Amino acid sequence: MARFSTRLLGSVALSVALVGCAVTPARETSPAPTEKANVEPALRQAAMMSERNASYGEAAQHYASLHAKYPNDKQITLALARNLRFAGNPQQAIAVLNSGAMAQSHDALTLLELGKDYLAADQLNLAKPTLERAKAAAPLNWEILSSLGVVYDYEGQYEQAQQQYDAALFLDPENPTVLNNKALSLGQQGRLHEAVKTMKVATDQPSASAQARQNLALLMALKGDSEAAGRLARRIAAFHARSDS
């Protein structure tokens, strides 16, 4: 029975790192006191819109500017780290979270982001204990459980990984991210029939990502259903064509 390699998992499970350019804080002139109230809400809005549009490098630049002004703002700091990771700069994200006030107050959400950053930087020896600390602090957080499952998959401990995914699905049934990760875990274990079935449930969710649909095509092809994989691939291409128009 066909098996995935753990390297393949790194490219498709739980998108923890996207290709991008290095990010440095944007240089700005200090606004006049009367302008400050108008400029900063606009900067926050620009940052959120850039992230929503998957312009992660641009979003990170905006959040870096905000972080320079408000280094103790947890929401801004986490947003900066997240977008640095998405932009392909997990080491910068790690540095942000391990400096300043954030280094002294690692709550569950901060530990979750830091664990993802370590995972994106291929530092499994740090990702696992960090996510375990996050789980101890917030055992009912599905995202922490799912992220810890990805670490187990990287280690080849598929049964343990699937236990984490099942616990996450108990908390948030039919979550497409968790289902995607569980399907890939099953695929790595050679359980391709179950993997395809699970990924189909994931892609049936309204919030399913295009990546999940691509993963379904991959699983179908590996299972030997190349015709179905081809049909799905054409649907994905048509979807992207409509989205780009």
Side-chain angles (χ1 to χ4, degrees):
M1 189 174 288
R3 288 181 179 270
F4 283 100
S5 68
T6 53
R7 291 213 176 263
L8 179 58
L9 174 69
S11 67
V12 292
L14 193 71
S15 300
V16 292
L18 301 178
V19 175
C21 301
V23 177
T24 55
R27 182 174 297 176
E28 297 181 346
T29 57
S30 299
T34 56
E35 296 175 344
K36 185 175 181 180
N38 293 327
V39 170
E40 291 181 3
L43 186 57
R44 289 173 185 261
Q45 183 68 20
M48 289 188 291
M49 287 300 297
S50 294
E51 182 174 0
R52 191 175 303 165
N53 294 330
S55 299
Y56 301 118
E58 185 177 302
Q61 288 181 337
H62 293 318
Y63 280 120
S65 296
L66 289 166
H67 180 66
K69 297 177 183 178
Y70 306 106
N72 297 328
D73 188 303
K74 175 184 167 183
Q75 185 177 6
I76 290 173
T77 305
L78 287 176
L80 172 57
R82 181 177 64 249
N83 281 279
L84 284 169
R85 170 167 55 86
F86 286 161
N89 299 294
Q91 292 292 357
Q92 290 185 36
I94 291 166
V96 166
L97 295 181
N98 282 330
S99 63
M102 296 297 282
Q104 306 302 321
S105 58
H106 277 178
D107 61 303
L109 292 180
T110 304
L111 289 168
L112 170 60
E113 177 58 41
L114 184 59
K116 289 181 177 182
D117 297 336
Y118 283 134
L119 185 56
D122 292 327
Q123 298 180 33
L124 296 183
N125 61 317
L126 296 176
K128 188 174 183 179
T130 300
L131 290 168
E132 286 175 339
R133 287 171 58 200
K135 180 180 177 181
L140 301 182
N141 184 306
W142 70 263
E143 194 172 3
I144 292 172
L145 294 168
S146 184
S147 298
L148 190 54
V150 173
V151 174
Y152 281 121
D153 274 326
Y154 269 104
E155 294 179 337
Q157 300 184 57
Y158 306 124
E159 295 293 342
Q160 293 91 329
Q162 289 155 31
Q163 289 174 10
Q164 300 300 315
Y165 300 138
D166 287 341
L169 289 169
F170 179 79
L171 297 170
D172 192 359
E174 300 186 343
N175 181 297
T177 298
V178 182
L179 287 166
N180 172 80
N181 292 338
K182 182 179 179 180
L184 292 169
S185 181
L186 289 166
Q188 285 186 100
Q189 203 176 16
R191 298 160 63 181
L192 288 172
H193 178 75
E194 295 172 74
V196 169
K197 183 178 179 180
T198 302
M199 192 67 80
K200 283 181 177 178
V201 177
T203 57
D204 284 343
Q205 307 311 310
S207 58
S209 66
Q211 181 65 62
R213 296 183 178 87
Q214 291 168 355
N215 291 342
L216 177 56
L218 173 64
L219 288 168
M220 285 180 169
L222 288 169
K223 186 173 177 287
D225 196 348
S226 58
E227 184 178 345
R231 289 197 302 270
L232 184 58
R234 288 191 290 274
R235 285 174 55 193
I236 292 169
F239 171 80
H240 284 308
R242 289 196 301 273
S243 300
D244 294 339
S245 60

